[in-house]
Structure formats: C-alpha cells, structure tokens
Amino acid sequence: MTQNEFDAFVSVAYNAGTTAFQNSKMAKAFNENDRHTCLG
C-alpha cells in the first residue's frame, strides 16, 4: 500500500465513519486484495 492509498483509506474512514467503512465495498475489495475495485 502506498502512502497515497493509505491516506485515501483514512480519509474515507474518517468521513464515512468507521462502521460504514468496515462494511464498505472498498474495505471488502481491499481485504480480498482487489486493488482495482477498491481504488478505482
């Protein structure tokens, strides 16, 4: 994970809220190592 990717994840988690982020498609895609979906 690059610094920019990390910063984007932190920003989304902060703005959406941690519970919403944990249940998000972005978090699920990241956990499945699908960078194209979670960052695209």
Side-chain angles (χ1 to χ4, degrees):
M1 173 180 277
T2 68
Q3 184 65 50
N4 288 342
E5 291 168 342
F6 176 79
D7 293 345
F9 271 84
V10 171
S11 178
V12 170
Y14 177 80
N15 288 302
T18 54
T19 302
F21 178 73
Q22 288 173 340
N23 297 319
S24 72
K25 182 177 178 182
M26 181 180 182
K28 289 176 185 168
F30 178 77
N31 288 330
E32 294 171 358
N33 203 28
D34 183 2
R35 291 172 62 138
H36 177 72
T37 299
C38 71
L39 299 173

